[in-house]
Amino acid sequence: MPEPILNIQGLKAFYGDFQALYGVDMYIEPGEVLAIIGANGAGKTTLMRSVTGLLSNGPGQIHFQGNDISQLRADEVAMQGLAMVPEGRQLFPSLTVKENLMIGAQVGRQGPWNLDAVYRLFPILEERKDQASTSLSGGQQQMVAIGRALMANPDLIMFDEISLGLAPIVIKDIYAALPGIINGGMSAIIVEQDIAQALKVSSRVYCLQEGRVSLEGASDKVSREEISRAYFGIE
Ligand code: ATP
C-alpha cells in the first residue's frame, strides 16, 4: 500500500463540553477519491474543519504528506497543499467572480491551476468574471468555490456537500467536472448526503455515525444493508 497522503488517527473534536468526534481513524491514498457519508449531525463537517485547521483539535493525529498538521492554522494547512470547498460555498459577496477566484491564488502554490485553467473547466465563470458573485446561480457559485480551491493548487481537495441545495441537472454538471480535476493526480475527499452519487465517484467510502466511523469499505463492494446499518444504526 502506498503511503497515505492523509492519515487521521484517533481524532477527537469538541464544541465546549460537547464531543462531536470520538477517535476517528481514516486515510486516503495519493490519487484516490474517497467518499464520506453520514446523516445530518454525524460529524462530517467537523471532521473537515478539524483537518483544515478551522477547528482547534482535541487529541488525535493528522498527518498530511508525512507532516503532522494537527496543530497548524488554516492558512498553514492550505500552504501544505490541502484545500476545502466548504459547505454553503462561503464566497465573498462584495467581490467579483474573478476576485473570489484570486483569493485561492494567495496561498502561493505553483501548479497547473490558474484563472485560464479554471475558465476552461467552467467556461461560464469567464463570461461572468466581472459580476458580483452574489449575482450568480447557486450552481455557478459552487463552481466559483471549486475554482477558488483549485487556484491554491492543492494536492488534496475536500468537497463538503457540494450538491446541497442544487438542482439535479446542476449537480450532474458539477460532477462532470470531477475527472478534469483529479486526472492530474490530485486526491479528493467528497462529503455527500447523496449516497448513490458518493459511491459512484469514489473508490472507497467511510460512513460516520454520531462521531464514529461506522463503516469503511470499497465503494463497489459495500452492500445496501451494510450502508443502512452504518448510516442509520439500524440492526
Ligand atoms: P450536516 O450534514 O448537518 O452538516 P455533519 O455530519 O456535517 O452534519 P457536523 O456539522 O460536523 O455534522 O456536526 C456534528 C455534531 O456537532 C452535531 O451534533 C452538531 O449539532 C454539533 N455541532 C456542529 N457545530 C457545532 C457548533 N459550532 N457548536 C456546537 N455544536 C456543534
Side-chain angles (χ1 to χ4, degrees), residues 28 34 49 94 108 122 196 209 235:
I28 169 169
L34 185 75
R49 290 170 56 83
S94 61
F122 298 125
Q209 192 195 344
E235 286 302 326

Side-chain angles (χ1 to χ4, degrees), residues 15 18 20 38-47 87 160-161 193:
Y15 296 104
F18 177 77
N40 282 341
K44 305 179 299 296
T45 298
T46 302
L47 178 63
E87 185 177 349
D160 194 0
E161 310 223 2
Q193 289 273 347

